[in-house]
Amino acid sequence: MKYLFPALLACMLPSGTVLAADTPPASVAQRDMATNITAKPATAVSDASVKQTTALGEVVVSATRVSQPVLDTAASITVITAQEIDNTLAGDIGQMVRYQPGISVPNDPTRFGSRGFDIRGINGNRIKILLDGVPAPDAFSIGSLSDAGRNFVDPDVLKRVEIIRGPASSLYGSEAVGGVVNFITKDPGDYLLQGNGDAYFGTGTGWNSVDNSAMLSGTAAFGDADNQGMVLFTRRQGHEAGNQGSVDTEDATRTTPNPQNNQDNNLLAKGVFNREWGTLSLTLSNHHSDNDTQVFSALESTDYSAMVGFPYVLATTSMSGHDTSDLTLASARLDFKGAGSGWFDDGTALTYCQYGDTQQDTLERQRTTIFGAPNDALINRRFTFAQHTAGTSLTLRKRFGETVRHLLVYGLDVDRSRIEEMRDGWKQDLATGAITTTVGPDTFPARDFPLSTTLEAGLFAEDRMAFADERFLLIPGLRYDYYRLDADNDPVFGNTSPGIAAEDTTDSSWSPRLGAVYKLDDRSSLFAQYAYGFRAPDYSDVNVGFTNLQFGYTAIPNPNLKPETSNAVEFGIKHFGDGANFSLSAYYDRFDDFIEPFVSLGVDPNTNLLTFQAQNIGKVTLYGVEARATFKLDAVLQGLRLDSALAWGVGNDDAADAPLNSVNPPEAILGLGYLSASSLWGARLVGTFVHAKTRVNNDPAATQFQIPGYATFDLIGNFNLDDSTRIVVGLFNLTDRKYWNWSSVQGRPDGDPLIDRYTQPGFNVGASLHVSW
């Protein structure tokens, strides 16, 4: 809540004061999309206990920025509903996608936790993350003590998650070069039963042994058909997530998790006002995370005697971290109707103001021993990363034509953003009490890129053309984006990188897309698409800079970077039937001008410093196959269901003529579920099968650890005690299998004695209870 009121105040400032980032709007149909949430979410019973994920007959909005059945979309899109989140006891974004092959969440096991999403081997800021159509703050990290991630949402507030696999720049602009994750939060109407009462109250609680965490939530919704309101608050409190490490020392040899206390609070408030001319939705949300860590894994002693030429030993004897993050969002969405004979039939206008802030404090006790004489010092470091955004967008929809029926979706996004990063701190000699702001190679305060302002403006249009009784759909789309980066004349950055001037840049790009859908019948369709993606070089790519005279190196800006681009083709088949659903797709994606952050340029003869600079050096090729199928086995046993999914992908770093390490190994999911005839209880046994990682690009100096193949099994059940009480119980990793997730362990050397630090949890238990009235 720390930034709730400052963010609201900032929204009221003049437009020149508020700086923002880009946003695509939500659709009118976002409230009307098929969803399993009912007026009594705590007691709603469906086949979600045996449901894996997207039903192909569901309606989605992210793939086209307009409500469309999955069967009619020329793209691969995964939908995770609120019931799937609840029925799998997902407490964070990593657990939310654990049954989604081809999608993963990298995790830092020592301190910082979940970092963002990886889709088909592309991750970081190349994946666009949205919260109700508003882009989440960027990720930024530098060194081992500074890591701002993108985990700014609690699963309890979500109505659904839509994930576009592959480039989506034709609709969402820069940063969507690798895909889109769209978090859609719950609305009052998800709780209020039309014509049967005007209020809803509910509460939920849960516990998970994996991190000994407890969850408590409360929901109140009220209103009628015209005016509705809702307040939802969720609190989670727990400890470090378990693993299967066995070394419990308080030093760098530790493989068990570092002790950690975590606390997350999430507030969501909405007002929805329905009128003849449309619907006005007002949203206010705040997510606050607070973590304290004893960083035992950083305690070690290093002998630098050979390097400096005399006896010199440096040791970290204690380290603790206190990390907080806040995301406050205020938005207004107007879903309006047109006259029907003008330029549009209906549309959506969205405006928002958002403040994201990360602060990470590290307190370290350090011992320096020179010629055998020890000296202790206390070091305090603070890393801050803030992104203050405001933006607006407009989406219009027009239907016309008879022989060829058109659904034209067009509009604009205009966004500005202000980004600030700083590292600060001091060092105190505990013998003399003297304090200095020079700590190792750094003189604080320091900035790794200057204070920056970005402007993004995009115009887009996509036409859904229906031929031959709407059996054949042709979907051309085009977007134009303009991106401008303005770097301040920042004295702090100037002191960090003396003699290095910050640079301003501008970029623009056309992003075309062409999709096609052919309906074999009312339940089956073939699809194909070509999609272009791009990502403009951001503030840290262009202007990252620092100088370390102690170790003789420097990093310098590069204003000549080109945007990263992607050309992707995909084709597949989808079927939605009474007894079986399935989808099968194959993709090929070529990325050009990948930006490598720190490329060595050799020693500058003018400064005698080893110089690094971001460069366009990467060419990457991705291709693979993804499939999903669901079969109702009523002939065997009424209520029995089989779910399956798999992802197989290959990635190549063409510039290095080597495998792309970020691509996950082949993975398959197999689930067998049962729903009782009375719908009072259901259960599901889920097996996850992952192939060994065998294709890696090894560092010339070391062979990488390659995870072995593994299989894990989970058993999840839900029970409805009465109309208002529901219990979910889950047993995870039933066989207590020791295994590693590739996205979290990649890059570790083979034979690493600390490799067990990156293992996933063994057998663990979770449970939740929901009550409503």
Side-chain angles (χ1 to χ4, degrees):
M1 304 294 287
K2 174 180 177 183
Y3 294 100
L4 181 59
F5 295 107
L8 291 176
L9 178 62
C11 287
M12 302 175 188
L13 296 177
S15 59
T17 307
V18 178
L19 306 170
D22 87 335
T23 173
S27 165
V28 173
Q30 185 167 307
R31 303 183 316 279
D32 304 321
M33 292 184 296
T35 176
N36 291 324
I37 297 297
T38 71
K40 295 280 188 180
T43 61
V45 180
S46 76
D47 61 350
S49 63
V50 296
K51 179 181 178 182
Q52 174 63 32
T53 183
T54 315
L56 298 180
E58 279 191 307
V59 177
V60 296
V61 65
S62 299
T64 59
R65 290 178 80 151
V66 66
S67 173
Q68 292 292 330
V70 173
L71 199 63
D72 293 350
T73 59
S76 289
I77 182 166
T78 294
V79 178
I80 307 171
T81 67
Q83 279 199 331
E84 179 68 7
I85 293 172
D86 292 342
N87 287 339
T88 56
L89 298 169
D92 57 38
I93 59 175
Q95 294 172 359
M96 201 160 49
V97 298
R98 61 183 159 197
Y99 300 135
Q100 310 302 328
I103 304 172
S104 61
V105 174
N107 181 72
D108 168 32
T110 61
R111 178 174 173 182
F112 297 117
S114 300
R115 313 316 306 141
F117 288 88
D118 183 300
I119 301 176
R120 294 177 176 175
I122 303 300
N123 50 43
N125 292 331
R126 296 181 177 99
I127 303 296
K128 191 145 200 169
I129 300 178
L130 307 171
L131 179 61
D132 285 333
V134 177
D138 296 333
F140 180 80
S141 65
I142 188 164
S144 60
L145 304 178
S146 308
D147 194 342
R150 308 178 79 186
N151 187 8
F152 283 107
V153 66
D154 189 285
D156 190 55
V157 306
L158 299 176
K159 172 162 61 178
R160 61 198 289 112
V161 183
E162 298 183 0
I163 303 175
I164 301 176
R165 300 172 182 246
S169 293
S170 65
L171 287 176
Y172 294 102
S174 185
E175 295 95 43
V177 67
V180 175
V181 178
N182 190 8
F183 295 116
I184 301 170
T185 60
K186 296 172 182 174
D187 289 315
D190 298 324
Y191 295 96
L192 299 173
L193 184 62
Q194 297 294 330
N196 186 18
D198 56 4
Y200 167 92
F201 299 95
T203 185
T205 185
W207 173 80
N208 200 314
S209 69
V210 73
D211 56 1
N212 196 25
S213 62
M215 182 274 287
L216 181 65
S217 68
T219 304
F222 45 88
D224 51 30
D226 295 328
N227 304 297
Q228 301 172 356
M230 179 190 76
V231 177
L232 193 162
F233 180 78
T234 302
R235 179 185 179 94
R236 295 182 190 270
Q237 192 162 346
H239 300 277
E240 67 278 2
N243 67 5
Q244 296 192 69
S246 58
V247 180
D248 199 29
T249 56
E250 296 184 3
D251 57 31
T253 64
R254 183 184 185 91
T255 61
T256 57
N258 289 319
Q260 191 173 67
N261 291 319
N262 305 318
Q263 179 179 299
D264 294 298
N265 296 321
N266 204 112
L267 173 68
L268 174 66
K270 281 192 177 183
V272 178
F273 309 94
N274 296 306
R275 298 295 183 267
E276 291 184 0
W277 44 262
T279 298
L280 174 65
S281 301
L282 304 177
T283 299
L284 178 63
S285 66
N286 174 263
H287 182 273
H288 176 78
S289 176
D290 195 311
N291 304 324
D292 288 295
T293 309
Q294 290 295 323
V295 194
F296 290 144
S297 59
L299 308 187
E300 61 181 341
S301 178
T302 305
D303 191 338
Y304 291 101
S305 301
M307 177 185 296
V308 300
F310 55 86
Y312 184 100
V313 178
L314 187 64
T316 296
T317 58
S318 71
M319 180 180 289
S320 61
H322 180 214
D323 308 321
T324 62
S325 64
D326 269 276
L327 182 66
T328 298
L329 167 65
S331 69
R333 187 183 77 231
L334 178 63
D335 299 320
F336 55 90
K337 302 173 184 178
S341 59
W343 287 88
F344 62 91
D345 297 327
D346 54 70
T348 300
L350 175 68
T351 185
Y352 74 91
C353 178
Q354 177 178 261
Y355 192 89
D357 176 83
T358 296
Q359 180 174 298
Q360 296 167 345
D361 292 305
T362 304
L363 186 63
E364 175 185 359
R365 190 180 179 107
Q366 189 180 85
R367 174 168 294 170
T368 304
T369 304
I370 301 176
F371 289 106
N375 180 264
D376 287 353
L378 193 64
I379 301 174
N380 187 6
R381 297 181 179 90
R382 170 169 290 181
F383 166 74
T384 57
F385 180 83
Q387 189 165 347
H388 187 185
T389 65
T392 188
S393 63
L394 176 67
T395 299
L396 301 174
R397 291 171 284 273
K398 178 66 179 178
R399 297 161 183 84
F400 60 94
E402 295 183 1
T403 304
V404 178
R405 298 185 61 83
H406 296 261
L407 171 55
L408 178 63
V409 181
Y410 63 101
L412 60 89
D413 303 318
V414 180
D415 329 285
R416 300 183 69 194
S417 179
R418 179 69 166 180
I419 307 99
E420 304 179 10
E421 179 264 355
M422 181 181 288
R423 291 182 294 119
D424 206 351
W426 47 261
K427 179 178 182 180
Q428 181 181 26
D429 188 315
L430 295 181
T432 65
I435 295 177
T436 178
T437 56
T438 298
V439 182
D442 296 309
T443 298
F444 293 131
R447 282 201 174 101
D448 301 294
F449 59 85
L451 296 171
S452 300
T453 302
T454 62
L455 170 68
E456 295 185 63
L459 297 170
F460 64 89
E462 184 170 279
D463 188 13
R464 296 180 61 84
M465 306 164 61
F467 301 84
D469 296 327
E470 300 192 4
R471 291 189 64 183
F472 177 66
L473 303 175
L474 187 65
I475 312 165
L478 184 65
R479 179 180 175 113
Y480 175 78
D481 278 282
Y482 172 81
Y483 176 89
R484 188 179 77 205
L485 166 65
D486 294 320
D488 287 9
N489 183 15
D490 184 351
V492 177
F493 177 75
N495 292 335
T496 306
S497 304
I500 296 177
E503 301 283 353
D504 299 335
T505 63
T506 59
D507 279 297
S508 62
S509 177
W510 291 94
S511 301
R513 175 178 180 261
L514 180 62
V517 177
Y518 180 74
K519 296 182 181 180
L520 301 173
D521 52 42
D522 291 340
R523 300 188 175 188
S524 305
S525 65
L526 302 174
F527 77 91
Q529 75 160 335
Y530 161 78
Y532 178 88
F534 92 102
R535 174 177 171 264
D538 66 18
Y539 41 86
S540 62
D541 293 328
V542 173
N543 278 324
V544 65
F546 52 82
T547 299
N548 187 333
L549 297 176
Q550 181 178 346
F551 291 96
Y553 64 84
T554 185
I556 61 175
N558 185 356
N560 299 315
L561 287 171
K562 295 181 291 184
E564 300 176 333
T565 62
S566 168
N567 289 275
V569 293
E570 184 172 5
F571 56 91
I573 184 171
K574 302 174 184 179
H575 173 77
F576 178 67
D578 292 332
N581 303 335
F582 68 85
S583 64
L584 174 66
S585 63
Y587 63 90
Y588 178 91
D589 200 348
R590 173 65 183 266
F591 292 81
D592 291 301
D593 295 318
F594 251 41
I595 296 173
E596 184 69 28
F598 299 105
V599 177
S600 175
L601 305 182
V603 176
D604 186 335
N606 296 318
T607 63
N608 290 322
L609 296 175
L610 180 61
T611 303
F612 296 89
Q613 186 184 55
Q615 296 277 305
N616 292 107
I617 64 169
K619 292 182 181 294
V620 169
T621 299
L622 299 172
Y623 58 90
V625 174
E626 296 168 339
R628 187 175 298 278
T630 297
F631 303 95
K632 294 182 179 180
L633 305 178
D634 292 339
V636 178
L637 177 65
Q638 186 71 29
L640 194 64
R641 177 170 172 159
L642 179 68
D643 295 310
S644 61
L646 67 86
W648 172 85
V650 175
N652 292 305
D653 182 345
D654 298 335
D657 191 23
L660 182 69
N661 287 338
S662 59
V663 176
N664 284 319
E667 180 179 2
I669 304 291
L670 191 64
L672 185 64
Y674 173 75
L675 181 67
S676 69
S678 64
S679 296
L680 291 178
W681 68 276
R684 181 172 60 169
L685 178 66
V686 184
T688 301
F689 307 90
V690 178
H691 193 276
K693 180 65 175 179
T694 57
R695 296 186 75 251
V696 297
N697 179 11
N698 288 310
D699 187 283
T703 302
Q704 283 198 42
F705 172 72
Q706 301 177 30
I707 67 169
Y710 63 87
T712 62
F713 299 91
D714 304 331
L715 180 62
I716 308 168
N718 60 70
F719 310 89
N720 295 273
L721 304 183
D722 54 39
D723 289 342
S724 62
T725 307
R726 186 165 184 260
I727 296 174
V728 181
V729 177
L731 309 176
F732 301 95
N733 195 359
L734 290 169
T735 61
D736 199 32
R737 179 64 184 266
K738 182 178 180 178
Y739 69 101
W740 294 261
N741 282 342
W742 176 249
S743 63
S744 298
V745 76
Q746 63 172 297
R748 305 300 302 182
D750 194 22
D752 185 353
L754 303 177
I755 202 65
D756 283 356
R757 181 182 292 172
Y758 301 88
T759 53
Q760 296 300 303
F763 173 73
N764 62 96
V765 179
S768 68
L769 169 67
H770 294 274
V771 180
S772 63
W773 61 93

